[in-house]
Amino acid sequence: MNMFKPWLLLVACLSLVATASGQQQEQNVKQLGKMEVHYIGIPTTFLTPEVAQSYKIERSRYRGLLNIVALDTTKEDTPALSVGISGTATNLVGQTFTLKFNKVTEGEAIYYLATIDYPNDETYRFDILINNNGDEQQLKFTQKFYVEE
């Protein structure tokens, strides 16, 4: 039986992007309180058309995708957490954009996706607030996006 599992493709895409870009996984993981938070920003063109369609993400040379996962480090198998999440992206000239996260739950996996538009060679400072049952933690990171030629 050939069942299409879009989340497997999304995970594969994100893993390949991190490996291909030479990033070490530790650079995209932060310990925040009792959570281990994994995060990545990629151009939406890195997604296959099928994956993008299944998540209702518009593929564009001028759009990035953020993927954030929070894991519970108080449990042995570090299960995914259902958290409250909000945040902003600020470019280098000080323009701030509010991010709209969509929660995706597939089996035991829970992740949060948001898109952001950008011109070529744009750097954003992300400020993400993650609320785990009243334990609020702040994730801050910088990401540069490029337009594919």
Side-chain angles (χ1 to χ4, degrees):
M1 175 182 263
N2 186 5
M3 293 183 61
F4 176 63
K5 296 190 182 208
W7 66 271
L8 288 175
L9 291 175
L10 180 62
V11 169
C13 286
L14 296 178
S15 297
L16 288 173
V17 170
T19 302
S21 67
Q23 295 176 335
Q24 295 179 7
Q25 186 170 355
E26 297 86 41
Q27 293 176 325
N28 293 335
V29 177
K30 290 195 179 174
Q31 185 69 38
L32 299 175
K34 296 176 182 177
M35 296 179 288
E36 179 179 283
V37 178
H38 295 248
Y39 59 95
I40 191 166
I42 61 169
T44 56
T45 54
F46 282 22
L47 302 175
T48 65
E50 295 82 14
V51 169
Q53 181 180 6
S54 70
Y55 289 98
K56 297 178 176 70
I57 296 169
E58 181 183 342
R59 294 175 76 238
S60 170
R61 294 175 32 196
Y62 303 99
R63 178 163 293 134
L65 173 69
L66 294 180
N67 182 2
I68 298 179
V69 175
L71 304 176
D72 185 350
T73 59
T74 66
K75 298 190 175 146
E76 186 175 323
D77 57 349
T78 60
L81 289 167
S82 179
V83 296
I85 188 166
S86 61
T88 59
T90 304
N91 64 17
L92 295 180
V93 296
Q95 296 171 308
T96 299
F97 305 92
T98 301
L99 300 169
K100 181 181 182 295
F101 285 93
N102 293 314
K103 179 180 177 182
V104 177
T105 303
E106 294 175 338
E108 295 179 9
I110 302 171
Y111 43 98
Y112 298 86
L113 303 176
T115 58
I116 185 148
D117 295 334
Y118 58 85
N120 192 28
D121 198 22
E122 182 77 274
T123 299
Y124 284 105
R125 291 184 311 271
F126 292 98
D127 188 356
I128 312 295
L129 184 63
I130 302 171
N131 185 333
N132 179 24
N133 293 321
D135 178 20
E136 290 188 342
Q137 299 290 331
Q138 199 165 26
L139 171 66
K140 291 186 175 199
F141 64 97
T142 301
Q143 176 76 41
K144 189 170 197 173
F145 290 97
Y146 299 93
V147 172
E148 294 179 29
E149 297 296 324

